[in-house]
Amino acid sequence: MATHEEFEAAAQRAQQLPTKPNNMVLLQLYALYKQASEGDVTGDRPGGFDFKGIAKYDAWASLSGKSKDAARQEYVDLVTSLFQGA
């Protein structure tokens, strides 16, 4: 499993990607980061025309039940793969 330090380093590296990932990858990064740092989603799902908020909430909610450690490792692996694929 990835350590907290590896996770934080990956979060910083994610801000320096050579090319911007597509929206699906960005949502995956967001959801994994939130799951790894906060755990299962809380609060109400945004409504109305907040399409971005709804997409982010749904992406995070899709990871409910995944442990913080597993999400942390997946996040580090995803960031690493994005740099290798660039």
Side-chain angles (χ1 to χ4, degrees):
M1 289 288 150
T3 65
H4 182 71
E5 291 76 22
E6 291 170 325
F7 174 69
E8 290 300 323
Q12 294 217 343
R13 286 185 73 206
Q15 301 298 316
Q16 303 164 352
L17 288 168
T19 57
K20 182 179 178 182
N22 66 44
N23 287 339
M24 292 306 293
V25 173
L26 288 173
L27 280 173
Q28 188 177 12
L29 284 167
Y30 171 83
L32 286 168
Y33 181 87
K34 295 293 275 185
Q35 188 70 19
S37 59
E38 297 182 30
D40 289 346
V41 69
T42 58
D44 295 329
R45 183 176 188 256
F49 293 101
D50 184 4
F51 300 117
K52 184 177 179 180
I54 291 168
K56 291 168 81 172
Y57 183 94
D58 289 350
W60 185 8
S62 74
L63 299 180
S64 288
K66 183 181 292 285
S67 73
K68 287 183 176 185
D69 288 338
R72 189 178 315 144
Q73 183 63 54
E74 286 184 41
Y75 182 86
V76 169
D77 292 345
L78 178 56
V79 171
T80 301
S81 73
L82 291 172
F83 273 93
Q84 290 172 346

